[in-house]
Amino acid sequence: MAEVRAGTEPVDLTDAEHRMWEAYRTGRTCDLSARVAARDDPHSGPPWGPERSVRAEVVALLLLHGPPPVPGRVVALKLRGARILGRLELSGGRVEPYVEFQSCRFDSELQLAETRACTLRLVNCAIPRLEAARLHTEGDLHLLASRVARGIRLTDAQIGTDLLISRAVVRPDNKGRAITADGMSVAQDFQGDMLETYGEISLRGAKVGVSMNLRGARLRNPVGRRALNAPQLTVERTLYLTSIALYSSPGDSGTQTPPYGVGPTPAPGQASQAFECEGGMRLDDGRFGDAVDFYGARFLLSPEQEVSLRRISTPELRFVGAQPEQGRVVLSGAKVVKLVDVSTSWPGPGRLVMEGFSYEILAPRGHFPLPRRLEWVEAATVEYSPEPYERLAAVLRASGEDADAREVLLAKQRRRRTTLPPAAKAWGYLQDWTVVYGYRPGRAALWMAVLWAAGTLLFSRHPPPPIKEDEHPEWSAALYALDLLLPVIDLGHEGQWKPGGVWQWCASALVVLGWILATTVAAGASRLLRRG
């Protein structure tokens, strides 16, 4: 332990520590780097000697009980290119100065459990482990471009403004978790663009006050069940799990904030890096204020893994990524106002589940014809369920696509027919062949015309005798056949003639068929006139 001279700095400081101490009092950056790229990379290269090493206990002494500033200056700890020897233990302490480590190497883990701080920036640092459960910051927490060897723990942490872990590389702890942040609260943005993790990211019950960005991130957990486990996640604006545009930026050193050289969602043909999730994803019961965006996302799943969006609630779901080759996509109970998708983004039969999935508007990107949309519904109903068909028909009808809505309901009847016993199935085929279950009233009207012509021809050759010889209208086979076929309108002929034998059966058949066909035509006409 360093000996402290009363009212001054410790007596046994090394030259590097003395430079750090003096820089702290003036708020300047203490640069211990060699200014040679090959020697200043904290993640590789030769060991750093004592000329650029500081003890963790001296760093802690500065942060927890540091000297006063030089008059007219503000204290701050800004280290660049330093090696921190030993464990930096700040648990339970209050760190009031601004803290920034750039391109530093830590020999041991950082202990920030239950620490209260202003802003903490660790940029492009090599860190064995970050233990920061219940950390409370008034400002940002930055881990930009840093590499953490044994995981990050931010359980129940409260970040006062932004959490930035863009371009960080995080490997798992002994429980297989790269980032454990259950119950974490971020007041503003969660920025994880191009983040790379090996192990599970656990964000159960976490809250983000603005947007959460994992654009271009690569989440890998091939041996575990999930790469992202975030049930009950709340994001007040948008969750971005999308591709990210790449472009060059002069003078980008890799240590600036926010990260330069990357941009928003890429335009077609622009260089980009896709969001990749190797392992399952769970966003069950999540609440997203604006949207959940999967533009350009790729999911590398095993047959047992799934992208689970059960019971999520969001105004807009943009499912416009690549089709998962294996695994399932589950939307059971999800509530979405606007569904944005492409025909090639959804998995095939048996790998899509959307029982109880509610959406109000369809906004496909690109060509998404109705046959492909019906395949989408069929893929989600390996066992017949009417609800997905009825939901799609209602959405199409609400948007004015009545003809497509009827095609969807017809497809529902044909799919239902496959589940019926033989007799009911035969009746279904008859309905389909004759009147198309009433969803094409024109065919029913055509059948009525055919029956009318057949009845006219039949009774013109075999006119029935009148019931009363002295009281009957002038005989007309066409009017008689039409009077039999029309169940409601009375043309004054049906009750004036008395067919006998087989002709009586023919007349009764026309009456029954007329009722069936007229009802079908009326139902079809009412559907044409109805909206919603």
Side-chain angles (χ1 to χ4, degrees):
M1 179 67 184
E3 299 180 17
V4 181
R5 190 182 300 152
T8 60
E9 64 189 52
V11 297
D12 58 346
L13 294 185
T14 64
D15 180 63
E17 292 169 348
H18 177 73
R19 291 172 58 189
M20 176 181 68
W21 193 278
E22 292 302 317
Y24 170 86
R25 296 190 64 198
T26 59
R28 296 195 310 267
T29 298
C30 178
D31 189 351
L32 300 179
S33 62
R35 301 178 184 245
V36 178
R39 296 174 57 191
D40 286 336
D41 185 356
H43 313 296
S44 62
W48 293 353
E51 73 281 357
R52 52 192 306 184
S53 300
V54 296
R55 290 169 291 174
E57 61 188 51
V58 178
V59 175
L61 182 62
L62 276 176
L63 294 178
L64 299 176
H65 306 285
V70 170
R73 306 300 294 268
V74 177
V75 296
L77 179 62
K78 300 178 182 178
L79 272 177
R80 179 182 291 128
R83 176 188 177 190
I84 290 83
L85 305 174
R87 176 185 294 182
L88 181 54
E89 177 64 74
L90 300 171
S91 297
R94 184 175 186 88
V95 178
E96 296 184 354
Y98 173 86
V99 180
E100 179 179 291
F101 294 92
Q102 287 197 20
S103 301
C104 292
R105 284 181 180 174
F106 289 80
D107 277 2
S108 188
E109 66 184 42
L110 276 70
Q111 287 285 343
L112 299 174
E114 301 190 31
T115 301
R116 299 184 70 88
C118 293
T119 291
L120 300 174
R121 298 185 72 238
L122 296 99
V123 179
N124 192 36
C125 292
I127 307 169
R129 175 171 172 78
L130 175 59
E131 178 64 51
R134 296 172 297 283
L135 168 69
H136 188 289
T137 71
E138 297 178 11
D140 297 344
L141 173 62
H142 295 190
L143 296 167
L144 177 66
S146 293
R147 298 186 185 181
V148 185
R150 298 195 305 275
I152 298 171
R153 187 182 182 199
L154 289 167
T155 305
D156 296 320
Q158 297 184 46
I159 310 303
T161 49
D162 298 330
L163 171 62
L164 275 75
I165 56 174
S166 299
R167 293 186 287 176
V169 178
V170 187
R171 298 190 177 275
D173 59 15
N174 55 11
K175 295 182 179 179
R177 290 180 176 175
I179 300 176
T180 304
D182 301 334
M184 178 183 66
S185 176
V186 180
Q188 296 185 21
D189 287 322
F190 183 126
Q191 296 281 355
D193 295 341
M194 301 178 72
L195 169 68
E196 190 171 332
T197 59
Y198 298 84
E200 181 181 289
I201 298 178
S202 183
L203 295 170
R204 295 179 296 177
K207 296 180 180 179
V208 178
V210 185
S211 293
M212 179 173 172
N213 301 316
L214 291 175
R215 297 174 299 179
R218 293 177 174 173
L219 315 183
R220 295 185 173 91
N221 190 19
V223 298
R225 186 176 180 185
R226 299 183 183 95
L228 176 59
N229 185 25
Q232 298 181 326
L233 172 65
T234 299
V235 179
E236 294 296 330
R237 298 293 298 274
T238 300
L239 171 62
Y240 293 97
L241 305 172
T242 69
S243 297
I244 191 168
L246 303 177
Y247 56 89
S248 61
S249 177
D252 179 16
S253 66
T255 62
Q256 303 175 69
T257 304
Y260 299 98
V262 297
T265 303
Q270 185 177 6
S272 64
Q273 178 171 306
F275 169 86
E276 285 188 2
C277 183
E278 185 178 354
M281 175 183 295
R282 183 187 181 199
L283 297 175
D284 298 352
D285 301 294
R287 298 294 179 266
F288 308 93
D290 284 352
V292 178
D293 194 346
F294 289 100
Y295 178 84
R298 291 205 294 258
F299 296 98
L300 309 175
L301 308 175
S302 69
E304 302 79 24
Q305 292 171 336
E306 61 186 26
V307 178
S308 180
L309 306 176
R310 293 175 173 88
R311 299 175 299 280
I312 69 166
S313 178
T314 179
E316 186 169 332
L317 173 61
R318 305 169 193 154
F319 201 85
V320 287
Q323 182 185 74
E325 295 183 0
Q326 299 186 90
R328 303 194 308 166
V329 175
V330 183
L331 288 161
S332 300
K335 293 184 178 180
V336 173
V337 176
K338 184 178 181 180
L339 176 61
V340 181
D341 59 353
V342 294
S343 60
T344 57
S345 60
W346 300 102
R351 298 194 295 116
L352 175 61
V353 181
M354 53 184 189
E355 183 179 358
F357 176 37
S358 172
Y359 54 97
E360 300 176 16
I361 301 171
L362 284 173
R365 289 186 179 177
H367 187 53
F368 204 146
L370 184 62
R372 293 296 301 272
R373 186 65 75 180
L374 289 173
E375 291 176 6
W376 173 66
V377 175
E378 186 175 353
T381 52
V382 176
E383 296 183 359
Y384 167 72
S385 174
E387 194 276 335
Y389 290 93
E390 292 168 358
R391 168 60 58 181
L392 177 57
V395 170
L396 291 172
R397 189 180 299 117
S399 63
E401 303 291 339
D402 286 315
D404 286 349
R406 290 195 300 274
E407 289 296 324
V408 171
L409 294 175
L410 174 59
K412 182 191 79 167
Q413 293 290 349
R414 288 171 173 167
R415 183 76 185 281
R416 174 178 174 271
R417 185 174 66 205
T418 63
T419 67
L420 299 176
K425 187 178 295 186
W427 172 245
Y429 276 112
L430 180 61
Q431 283 185 300
D432 196 355
W433 182 71
T434 55
V435 296
V436 198
Y437 287 99
Y439 291 107
R440 294 179 187 166
R443 184 178 293 189
L446 178 63
W447 276 109
M448 287 198 72
V450 170
L451 291 173
W452 182 26
T456 299
L457 179 63
L458 175 68
F459 288 113
S460 64
R461 296 184 177 182
H462 304 281
I467 295 177
K468 296 181 180 181
E469 290 291 341
D470 53 348
E471 296 183 13
H472 61 81
E474 183 178 351
W475 167 250
S476 172
L479 287 176
Y480 182 64
L482 187 61
D483 207 1
L484 291 173
L485 280 170
L486 296 178
V488 177
I489 301 174
D490 185 5
L491 300 179
H493 277 259
E494 181 181 358
Q496 301 296 325
W497 311 95
K498 184 179 181 181
V502 67
W503 312 117
Q504 184 177 7
W505 284 100
C506 291
S508 299
L510 284 178
V511 171
V512 173
L513 291 174
W515 271 102
I516 295 173
L517 293 174
T519 303
T520 300
V521 171
S526 67
R527 279 192 290 267
L528 281 172
L529 296 173
R530 187 171 63 241
R531 288 285 190 273

